[in-house]
Structures are given as structure tokens and as C-alpha cells.
Amino acid sequence: MEEKISLKQKAYIILGSFLVAAFIIGIAGALQAPTLSRYLAKEVQANPYQIGLFYSVNAIAGIVVSFLLAQYSDNKGIRRNIILFCCLMGIGNCITFAFSRHYLLLISVGIFFSAFTSAAMPQIFASAREYTDHTGRNVVVFNGILRAQLSLAWVIGPPLSFTLAVKYGFTTMYLSAAAMFLVALLIIFMFFPAIRRSAPASKTSEPKEKIFRNRNVMFLFIASISMGTANMMYSIDMPLYLNQILPSAPSLPGHLMGVAAAIEIPAMLVASMLVPRFGNKNLICFAVICGIIFYIGMIISQKEWILIALQVFNGLFIGIVASIGLIYFQDLLPGRTGVASTLFNNCISCSIILAGMLQGTASANFGHHLIYILALIMVSVSLIFCLIITNPVHKTKHLKN
């Protein structure tokens, strides 16, 4: 009896460590991402084209590195060790940005560290999926709770990021993010399970999966890129846009991100529980419609209270897609959780590439308002692809288990 209780307690500790690590790494990311465009513009004196180029190069490097790490982890790598390495790279990345203001150094050395850092979260989600499958727990619900940790981090992170950057400077802000990675590294080292996979099983199943020949995977991939491009253009441009139209409210971008993230948390949890009843497709289509409403509002209004109210739709849009999208990819690629999680993450990276190019070019030549028109078009395109996705019958059964 005592052994069973100890094993049960150990399982709860491991599950808790996933949640805490995801939250802390989320905080580290939420400290850096919201102010990156302002950091590059003010501290590094980068022009709009250089800012767009930086986002694009950073995304390309992240795609390549995270996909290679995903293949390695699915075949024979221990995910725990990979995540530890990614956290070390995160510390290096934060230190580089804290003490350097040279564009060429940041776009080379900084992005080298950032590329490995970006693989941490998909590896955590893959490891969590692997562990919950192994222990027979509810995969969808735990994934929703895990995704909610990121949203909770984004409730705290953006306002804190702007506060640290404005009051204490970017060096303090980046060193704070480095401290978060260090804490996460210690938690992962002490509590994460070191799960080994047999190489023969991976080699047997991998050739059967033709990712880019899977019609549903490709439709979901295109839809996710379209949604992500709209969201990333908004994330990159919004601090600059609000600084132009509402210069008297320098902390407003952080508050908008925080409100949206606060909506995302219940949206993620509720969506994960509604999957068996409504299905992935219906929930994601509902989320995209919320996104369409949000960008229409961004186009037609510049009032502060309306921008805050619109975050309800933005939070539903991002929260549901973030919660359900990852599970959707994992279920469409059974046995390859690392690749599936990374594919979902790489949708975001591909979105950053497109968003960086579009935002830099559009804002420099036509002004910030065009960004939100383009975002509306992107979200509308994603709705079309979501509608034509068909769900394999066996995936639905898996979700209900």
C-alpha cells in the first residue's frame, strides 16, 4: 500500500513539474517577445526592414533546429536532456540580448541561442503527451491545463515586461528572463521523467507517416500558418501602432496582451473538455470566427476601451486554437508526438517569417493600419481551410478515451 501511495505521489509530482516548468518558461518567453520590436527599434536602432528580417531569420533558424531535435527525440533522444539543453541555450540567449546592442551579433549569435531555446516548449508538450499516454491519464484535459500555464504566464509576462523595460531598462528585463530559465532548468533536472524509446519501434512506424501527403495535416498546417501570421503581425505591430495612435498610454500594449491571456486560460480549459462533444473542427472554426470579429474591431476602432474589450474575442481565438491545435496534430500523427508537437510549433515559426516580412514592408510603405486588414484576410483564409478538414473516425475515438 505504501509503495502504491508513493508511486501515486510521484506521478502527481511529475505532472506538477510539467505545469510549473511550462509556466516558468512561458514567463521567460512572455518577458522577451512583447518588447522585442521596441527593443530592436529603440535600443539597437534597427529600421522596419531590419526588424522584419530579424523576426524572419529567427523563425527560420527555429524551424530547422526544432524539427531536427524533434526527429532525434522521437527516434532515440531522451526529451528531458534535450529540454535541459534548450534551457541552457535560453540563458545564453537572454545574456546576449542583455549586454549587446549590436544588430549583427544579435541576428547571428543571439538567434543561434534562440533557435535551440524555441525547441523547449514543443519538447515539453511531447514529453507530457508521452507521459500521460504511458500512465493512462486524460491526454486532452491535461494538455489543456498545460497550455493554460502558457496563457497564465502571458497574463503576468507582458505587463511585467513593459514595466521592467520602461522603469529599469532592457538589461534588467533580459536578466530576469535568464533567471526564469535557470529556475525551469533546476525543476526539469530534479523532477522530469527520463523516458527512453526503443529505436526499432520508431524506425518501424516512421516510414508509414507521410506528413506532407496527409491531406488533413496539410489543411490544418496551412490554416494554422494563416492564423499564426495574423496573430504575429498583430503582436509585432501592435506596440508600435499603439505608440503612434495612443502615445499617452505606453503600458497599454502590455495590458492588452495580459487581458487576452486571461481570457485564453478558461478558453483553453473549457475547449479541452468540450472536444469529445463538439470535436476539434467545430471548436476551431468557432475560434476563427472570433478572430475575424477581433480584427474587424481593430480595423474600425482606435478607442482604448474598445481595444481592451476586443481582447475577449482575441483571447477566445488564440486560446481555443492553442489548446486544440496541438492535440489535433498529435492525433493526426500517432506515435510521433515530437514531430507533431514541433510541426504545430513550426506553424508559429512559419507565421513569424511571413508576419515579419509583411509587417516590415507594409508598415514602412503603407502605414500600420494595413497590417490589420491583412490579418483579417489571413484569418478568413484559415476559416476556409478549417472547414474543408475531414476528421478520421479513429481519431475521434481516441479523443474520447
Side-chain angles (χ1 to χ4, degrees), residues 37-91:
S37 58
R38 184 175 291 187
Y39 169 82
L40 292 173
K42 290 191 173 183
E43 297 287 311
V44 186
Q45 300 298 312
N47 60 49
Y49 292 104
Q50 288 176 319
I51 294 174
L53 177 65
F54 187 92
Y55 274 90
S56 298
V57 173
N58 190 32
I60 292 171
I63 289 172
V64 174
V65 171
S66 60
F67 194 79
L68 290 175
L69 285 178
Q71 288 186 313
Y72 174 75
S73 68
D74 281 346
N75 290 334
K76 55 184 178 181
I78 300 176
R79 298 193 202 281
R80 172 179 170 274
N81 296 342
I82 294 173
I83 299 168
L84 287 171
F85 175 74
C86 292
C87 287
L88 284 174
M89 294 295 99
I91 294 172

Side-chain angles (χ1 to χ4, degrees), residues 214-217 219-220 281 328 332 385-393 395-396:
N214 187 315
R215 180 177 177 270
N216 289 328
V217 168
F219 286 160
L220 184 58
K281 179 177 177 178
Y328 216 166
L332 291 174
F385 280 99
C386 286
L387 289 171
I388 60 178
I389 293 175
T390 57
N391 294 322
V393 175
K395 305 302 178 189
T396 303

Side-chain angles (χ1 to χ4, degrees), residues 144-320:
I145 298 172
L146 192 60
R147 293 293 305 185
Q149 301 310 301
L150 292 183
S151 290
L152 181 59
W154 275 82
V155 173
I156 301 170
L160 181 60
S161 175
F162 280 92
T163 299
L164 289 173
V166 171
K167 292 187 176 181
Y168 303 101
F170 283 97
T171 297
T172 300
M173 189 268 288
Y174 279 108
L175 289 178
S176 300
M180 294 294 100
F181 278 116
L182 178 59
V183 172
L185 185 148
L186 294 175
I187 291 172
I188 293 163
F189 178 76
M190 291 187 293
F191 301 113
F192 266 39
I195 302 173
R196 295 180 179 273
R197 285 160 304 284
S198 59
S202 296
K203 291 179 181 178
T204 302
S205 59
E206 189 166 341
K208 297 179 181 179
E209 296 290 344
K210 302 295 183 180
I211 297 175
F212 297 106
R213 292 184 183 179
N214 187 315
R215 180 177 177 270
N216 289 328
V217 168
M218 291 311 301
F219 286 160
L220 184 58
F221 185 76
I222 296 170
S224 298
I225 289 177
S226 297
M227 289 182 279
T229 299
N231 183 50
M232 284 309 306
M233 285 195 299
Y234 165 78
S235 299
I236 296 170
D237 189 79
M238 184 266 287
L240 306 175
Y241 176 56
L242 294 185
N243 187 57
Q244 181 184 84
I245 65 172
L246 295 169
S248 61
S251 298
L252 181 60
H255 293 310
L256 293 185
M257 292 180 183
V259 171
I263 301 298
E264 290 173 32
I265 296 173
M268 286 179 175
L269 296 176
V270 173
S272 65
M273 292 185 287
L274 292 178
V275 168
R277 181 173 180 180
F278 295 102
N280 293 318
K281 179 177 177 178
N282 291 333
L283 289 171
I284 288 181
C285 287
F286 170 76
V288 177
I289 292 171
C290 290
I292 291 173
I293 295 172
F294 168 70
Y295 286 110
I296 290 174
M298 288 295 299
I299 292 170
I300 65 178
S301 178
Q302 296 180 355
K303 294 182 178 180
E304 184 173 341
W305 72 271
I306 294 180
L307 295 177
I308 294 174
L310 285 171
Q311 298 308 312
V312 173
F313 296 101
N314 191 28
L316 289 172
F317 171 48
I318 298 171
I320 295 174

